[in-house]
Amino acid sequence: MDHLGPLPVRSLNHISRVSKSLSRSIDFYTKILGFYEVKRPGSLDIQFEGAWLFNYGVGIHLLKDSTPGNMYLNTKKEINPKADHLSFQSDDLGEVERRLKLLGIEYVCRSVIEDGIEVQQLFFHDPDGFMIEVCNCENIPVVPLGPRCGRPLSRRLSNSQKRAMAINCELIDSTMDRPSPRLLDAACRVSPRLSSQNALPGGFSELGLASGALQGVRV
């Protein structure tokens, strides 16, 4: 299968969450995490209840749970940082923690130290018990394990810049055996305008998350 290469996908479009109460979930993801509700196809309303939310370049599709006696949702669970979760980037974890306390949301703190760089993490649940993380994970540079220009992506770059740089470097790696240093440097240079192009409309979140903050999804 390796000779086929990866599927021709371009980006993460959305994640889905099953919800016992759409109103509670909409309130949580809009008022606390800064998403905003967007139009949902009318044909879906005929099939099942739900809501579409968007921000940070990704959508969250809420699906009304119709399973009788579904005991998994809304069940009090231990906050386990190793559980499947969504992770959001923030530049002010102290403010995030302060607001979580004011909102009465239970959370746990964790940290990771790599090469003298510390990443702080806050974990908590959404109304249906799904795990949410807010962190400053961009402090750690993205270092490709394969031949991606042979150098780490600067942690000073935004996520969009890192992605663009990785794509440019991958293109060089796949088309040239030994690109000249001058060409390599030019192709891996990322325009600062990329970050402004990814600016999105909608309100800033209650937790002060940055635009383009979705770090990774494990579902």
Side-chain angles (χ1 to χ4, degrees), residues 12 14 16 63 81 93 104-105 135 139 154 183 199 206 211 218:
L12 177 66
H14 71 273
S16 293
L63 312 175
L93 269 293
I105 296 176
C135 68
N139 286 354
S154 170
L183 176 60
E206 287 292 325
S211 180
R218 298 173 57 205

Side-chain angles (χ1 to χ4, degrees), residues 100-117:
L100 288 175
K101 288 179 180 178
L102 290 175
L103 293 166
I105 296 176
E106 184 180 356
Y107 65 92
V108 298
C109 302
R110 292 291 185 271
S111 65
V112 176
I113 298 178
E114 177 75 12
D115 295 330
I117 301 171

Side-chain angles (χ1 to χ4, degrees), residues 96-160:
V96 172
E97 186 172 9
R98 185 185 75 84
R99 296 193 190 190
L100 288 175
K101 288 179 180 178
L102 290 175
L103 293 166
I105 296 176
E106 184 180 356
Y107 65 92
V108 298
C109 302
R110 292 291 185 271
S111 65
V112 176
I113 298 178
E114 177 75 12
D115 295 330
I117 301 171
E118 182 177 10
V119 165
Q120 298 174 322
Q121 304 162 290
L122 296 171
F123 295 90
F124 51 96
H125 287 142
D126 78 355
D128 291 296
F130 294 113
M131 184 74 68
I132 303 292
E133 175 192 14
V134 179
C135 68
N136 55 0
C137 298
E138 284 188 349
N139 286 354
I140 293 182
V142 177
V143 182
L145 296 180
R148 298 291 184 268
C149 289
R151 62 184 183 185
L153 305 185
S154 170
R155 59 179 175 271
R156 292 189 296 271
L157 298 178
S158 68
N159 274 349
S160 58

